[in-house]
Amino acid sequence: MAGPSPYHQHIDQLLGRSPELAAQLVAQTQDALRAASPDLAMAQDRSLLFQVAEAIQSHRAALVEALSTHIRNEVQGSIKPTNHGTDRPLEIKLDQLTLVDEAQAEQDIEISRTVQLIDLAAEWEWREFQAFCATLQGNTTLKGLPDNPFRPAVYARALSSAAQQVLPLAANERQMLLRVSGRVLADLLKSFYAQACADWRQQGFNPLAYKAVKQPPSRPHPTGHDITQPGALQSLLDKLPASMQQGNAPLPPRAPVPAIPGQPLTFQALHDATEAQAPSMGQPRTYTQEQVMNLLTRLFTQMHADQGVQPAIRQMIGQLQPAVMRVAGQDPLLLQSDQHPAWRLINQLASYASGYTEPDQVGLTDFLAFIQPRIQTLVPPPGPTLAQLEKALLDIQQFIEQQSQTQLQAAPQAVAQLQEADLRLSLRPILLQQVEQQTTGIKIKPSIRDFLLGPWVDVLCLAMVTGSPEDDEAQAMMATVDDLIHSLQRPRTLEAREALRQVLPDLIKRLQHGMARIEMPQAEQDAVLKELMGIHGHHLLATPKPAKPPAEPSAQELVARMRAEMAAAPPSPDQRRHPKAVDTHIGSLPTVPMMYGDEAGAPSPMNWADSLHKGMWCKLFMQGQWTTARLLWTSTNRQFYMFTSDKAGRMHSMTRRALERLRAEGLATSLEDRSLMQRAVDSVLQDLDS
């Protein structure tokens, strides 16, 4: 039986240094905290530093042990085979679909900053370490190496996890710790990588040489020529060389050709359309067919040379080129909008395949097998027609939808829970506003008011999401607000006191049921019930206090009453045209999701999260590493997103706020910042300028 390979032997040796590395990191972090204190000008920062140092001192042994354990677990988890070398997705369980919320996003941001510190401090040592590992694994090239189990992100994750597990620190204190300990970890890993390389060199190993490679063609820089603007493509004709513009005489002017539904437009229509759009003063713009064909040839040349497009997709685009040329002679809209079905089809092909790193990945091969026959139907002359192009686009969208649904079927419970949470988030502001209105002007203890505006609003959200306002349970939970408020008022008569005695058991039962539904901690439930018991007991034992007879109104009260009557007068015609918002009774709230806040129509900048659509590829920094992920699903109100990545079929669910937080830190982006068509136009313009 063969023993472990040299690479795995050295993994065990390096893992054996984990306790030593952990102890050094904790000790040197304490030294760095003491040394940094005089350098901090802000008293708040010095206070944070002191609290962090005190926490480490109190939990030093536990922190060293946890850090060593996390390093070992992270390294072993990185080298453990995830799917036995196959492309078959792993069975997905609900507990694997960890929801990335704001807290997790903040942790990922902290990890990314630590990784950046290590990359800056140990760049050359890490590169040589990688080269030695390639030699030990028997590789002949550094290209396409798997993730190294000792990469900086592994140690950054271990540091963050250990600090969160052991140290009782607030968020800002933990950030201060990672800011200081990150620099210490960077210096330690620099020595760690260098020492490992020195040991391997003494044992006779040589690092795999870095070979000079040809610089790949750079992607064109944005030129500011936005093809989404009307006429942006057509305006490129004016930028062609003068020799090409004068190569042919323009087509003779003719009367505009009306568009006939179901029939293709001729090239003459493009000429007539551009003449009609020309200014009334000066020479009207006219374009020859040769100019149009020359521009399209340049665009297709740039698309075919785009290295960001999968080779098989570039081949398909080459097959489509003659067909698009024919469309240009029939439909003037081709050069007037990038939303023409021909351009949308090309962009969709490139966009879908952009997230695959290898040409033989299962998802990509399935897509190519599906779309190739449909592309072939567009190639033969005299087509394609607009209907054929739209049909191909629809087929692609249905393929993406079906593929997404197939993957989502592995986690139906997770999708249902996210959809429910999405609806609860949407209803909560509405219900909170209603409860606030019900408690306004009512004398209630602050603790009871906080309960109604906090946990009980959650109870109402859950009741409406899991049922409907007409359900008995939902009606009972919604009526509890008024019933509880009424029970907190001192009875005025003996009859009112007896009525309160009769309704209290049912009221308390409803409160207990609602708190149990949201899994409110038992200690908090007991505190609320104890508070209510004291108030209700006082009301039931006290002698009813009759209401005071109304006093004669003062002059100020009379004026206020007159103003109130004037306000209650019938609305004027102008008020009827612009009515004020009316109160909404809690029992009449809709059961469908409702938009609120900025999404309710208030003008706001385009949000990146709103621009994401199903099937779109993104680059997300999650769990200490960049991941290429495709958007599978968004909840109805876009408060939750679910992505899939090539990490052994893993799916990742994220809250909208976490996604926006990562985006703000530069840790979430679209894989394609510009469409293939936009990049081709930018390339053409750069060539013309040069």
Side-chain angles (χ1 to χ4, degrees):
M1 181 176 178
S5 66
Y7 176 66
H8 286 88
Q9 290 178 359
H10 286 89
I11 284 180
D12 293 337
Q13 294 175 3
L14 294 175
L15 270 177
R17 296 183 55 186
S18 297
E20 176 188 359
L21 183 65
Q24 290 176 339
L25 178 55
V26 173
Q28 294 185 26
T29 295
Q30 286 186 296
D31 295 339
L33 289 170
R34 298 190 190 100
S37 181
D39 298 334
L40 296 178
M42 299 295 294
Q44 182 180 3
D45 287 345
R46 287 198 296 271
S47 175
L48 287 178
L49 212 62
F50 175 78
Q51 293 168 3
V52 171
E54 187 176 29
I56 293 179
Q57 183 63 37
S58 302
H59 303 81
R60 177 167 177 167
L63 181 59
V64 171
E65 182 180 357
L67 185 56
S68 176
T69 300
H70 278 287
I71 291 175
R72 179 176 293 274
N73 292 341
E74 289 285 350
V75 172
Q76 291 177 337
S78 296
I79 61 178
K80 182 179 179 180
T82 56
N83 202 21
H84 308 291
T86 70
D87 288 326
R88 178 179 56 83
L90 290 174
E91 180 182 359
I92 298 174
K93 299 180 181 179
L94 180 59
D95 57 2
Q96 292 177 317
L97 291 170
T98 304
L99 179 65
V100 179
D101 56 11
E102 283 185 279
Q104 181 61 51
E106 291 296 339
Q107 187 174 355
D108 286 334
I109 292 169
E110 294 170 355
I111 292 172
S112 73
R113 291 171 179 163
T114 305
V115 172
Q116 291 173 1
L117 290 173
I118 299 171
D119 288 341
L120 289 173
E123 177 183 0
W124 294 104
E125 291 78 7
W126 164 243
R127 178 179 293 187
E128 188 177 32
F129 184 89
Q130 278 275 74
F132 268 109
C133 288
T135 297
L136 294 171
Q137 290 176 284
N139 295 316
T140 58
T141 176
L142 289 171
K143 183 179 179 181
L145 286 178
D147 288 336
N148 194 302
F150 296 97
R151 61 190 180 275
V154 166
Y155 291 93
R157 284 201 303 267
L159 173 60
S160 177
S161 300
Q164 192 169 22
Q165 174 187 340
V166 175
L167 301 179
L169 299 176
N172 56 347
E173 295 169 350
R174 189 171 62 252
Q175 291 173 6
M176 173 68 76
L177 167 64
L178 294 180
R179 189 195 317 170
V180 175
S181 60
R183 298 190 184 97
V184 175
L185 179 59
D187 293 336
L188 286 174
L189 287 182
K190 181 177 182 177
S191 301
F192 177 82
Y193 294 144
Q195 184 61 50
C197 293
D199 293 343
W200 289 332
R201 188 174 283 107
Q202 287 183 355
Q203 297 174 30
F205 295 102
N206 293 312
L208 194 63
Y210 281 85
K211 298 180 180 179
V213 295
K214 183 179 179 181
Q215 182 69 19
S218 59
R219 302 183 73 176
H221 299 293
T223 59
H225 192 91
D226 187 0
I227 64 170
T228 63
Q229 298 300 315
L233 288 174
Q234 185 174 302
S235 66
L236 292 177
L237 292 167
D238 296 329
K239 301 180 182 296
L240 293 178
S243 58
M244 177 55 64
Q245 292 187 19
Q246 300 170 1
N248 285 20
L251 296 177
R254 294 174 52 187
V257 180
I260 302 176
Q263 294 187 9
L265 295 175
T266 64
F267 176 79
Q268 181 62 43
L270 174 62
H271 172 269
D272 296 333
T274 55
E275 271 196 333
Q277 296 173 358
S280 58
M281 299 294 293
Q283 184 69 23
R285 295 180 299 173
T286 58
Y287 305 113
T288 68
Q289 187 166 5
E290 186 175 354
Q291 285 177 272
V292 175
M293 295 301 114
N294 174 264
L295 174 61
L296 293 178
T297 300
R298 288 171 179 264
L299 291 175
F300 274 97
T301 299
Q302 296 298 338
M303 286 189 284
H304 191 72
D306 195 316
Q307 296 300 309
V309 181
Q310 285 283 349
I313 299 297
R314 292 204 301 267
Q315 182 179 358
M316 282 187 182
I317 293 174
Q319 295 172 356
L320 285 172
Q321 180 174 352
V324 177
M325 294 287 197
R326 289 194 298 272
V327 173
Q330 301 169 352
D331 189 352
L333 295 179
L334 183 77
L335 290 184
Q336 294 181 16
S337 173
D338 71 318
Q339 292 303 305
H340 190 280
W343 300 135
R344 288 166 52 207
L345 176 61
I346 289 174
N347 283 332
Q348 182 69 77
L349 290 172
S351 176
Y352 176 84
S354 63
Y356 293 102
T357 56
E358 300 297 333
D360 57 350
Q361 285 182 262
V362 174
L364 180 58
T365 55
D366 291 345
F367 175 72
L368 295 176
F370 171 83
I371 198 61
Q372 182 62 54
R374 290 158 176 81
I375 297 297
Q376 292 299 326
T377 63
L378 305 176
V379 173
T385 64
L386 288 178
Q388 288 178 307
L389 293 170
E390 292 284 5
K391 179 63 166 60
L393 271 170
L394 180 61
D395 288 345
I396 293 178
Q397 294 166 0
Q398 290 177 344
F399 175 87
I400 295 174
E401 177 69 26
Q402 181 60 43
Q403 192 179 59
S404 300
Q405 290 301 323
T406 300
Q407 292 176 296
L408 288 174
Q409 287 173 3
Q413 185 179 357
V415 175
Q417 290 177 352
L418 292 177
Q419 197 65 272
E420 177 183 308
D422 176 78
L423 183 54
R424 289 165 66 180
L425 283 177
S426 301
L427 290 175
R428 197 179 198 285
I430 304 171
L431 295 169
L432 176 61
Q433 182 182 19
Q434 182 64 34
V435 175
E436 285 178 338
Q437 292 176 353
Q438 289 177 271
T439 58
T440 299
I442 306 297
K443 188 177 180 180
I444 308 176
K445 282 192 174 183
S447 58
I448 302 300
R449 187 183 301 274
D450 292 341
F451 166 72
L452 287 174
L453 298 178
W456 199 254
V457 172
D458 294 333
V459 173
L460 297 179
C461 291
L462 182 60
M464 293 193 66
V465 169
T466 57
S468 69
E470 291 74 24
D471 292 342
D472 292 341
E473 180 180 3
Q475 290 288 338
M477 295 300 103
M478 290 186 287
T480 300
V481 178
D482 287 330
D483 293 346
L484 179 59
I485 293 174
H486 179 72
S487 73
L488 298 176
Q489 312 308 310
R490 183 174 178 176
R492 299 295 184 182
T493 64
L494 292 175
E495 292 78 7
R497 187 176 69 177
E498 184 60 27
L500 175 62
R501 190 189 310 276
Q502 296 295 326
V503 301
L504 279 181
D506 178 66
L507 175 62
I508 298 302
K509 183 178 180 181
R510 279 181 279 157
L511 289 171
Q512 291 174 324
H513 176 70
M515 291 186 290
R517 285 290 309 277
I518 62 171
E519 299 180 357
M520 187 175 175
Q522 189 61 48
E524 297 179 16
Q525 293 187 41
D526 295 340
V528 171
L529 295 176
K530 182 179 180 181
E531 185 82 18
L532 292 175
M533 185 183 299
I535 298 173
H536 292 151
H538 175 74
H539 289 345
L540 294 176
L541 294 176
T543 302
K545 186 177 182 181
K548 294 181 180 180
E552 291 294 328
S554 63
Q556 293 82 359
E557 291 173 337
L558 288 174
V559 172
R561 185 180 301 175
M562 292 175 60
R563 289 177 176 173
E565 292 174 353
M566 293 174 61
S572 65
D574 183 66
Q575 290 175 328
R576 292 191 186 99
R577 289 192 296 269
H578 306 285
K580 293 183 179 180
V582 296
D583 184 27
T584 303
H585 189 271
I586 196 168
S588 64
L589 290 172
T591 58
V592 297
M594 295 180 64
M595 294 185 295
Y596 62 95
D598 291 339
E599 297 180 0
S604 62
M606 175 60 70
N607 191 288
W608 178 76
D610 286 330
S611 69
L612 302 180
H613 54 81
K614 190 177 296 185
M616 190 173 183
W617 290 94
C618 297
K619 293 284 286 187
L620 305 173
F621 190 87
M622 297 186 297
Q623 300 177 359
Q625 59 184 336
W626 282 100
T627 300
T628 300
R630 186 165 62 89
L631 182 60
L632 276 183
W633 172 87
T634 60
S635 60
T636 305
N637 292 291
R638 300 185 72 87
Q639 295 301 314
F640 296 92
Y641 296 73
M642 189 175 289
F643 297 86
T644 181
S645 70
D646 58 356
K647 302 298 182 184
R650 290 295 302 273
M651 291 199 291
H652 318 275
S653 54
M654 303 183 71
T655 66
R656 177 192 181 92
R657 298 181 68 174
L659 194 61
E660 291 177 343
R661 185 71 183 93
L662 291 176
R663 174 69 174 179
E665 292 291 331
L667 299 177
T669 184
S670 305
L671 188 61
E672 286 187 315
D673 55 346
R674 290 170 291 161
S675 67
L676 173 60
M677 191 63 193
Q678 180 68 67
R679 300 199 301 269
V681 169
D682 290 339
S683 296
V684 168
L685 289 174
Q686 289 180 18
D687 288 348
L688 292 175
D689 291 340
S690 60

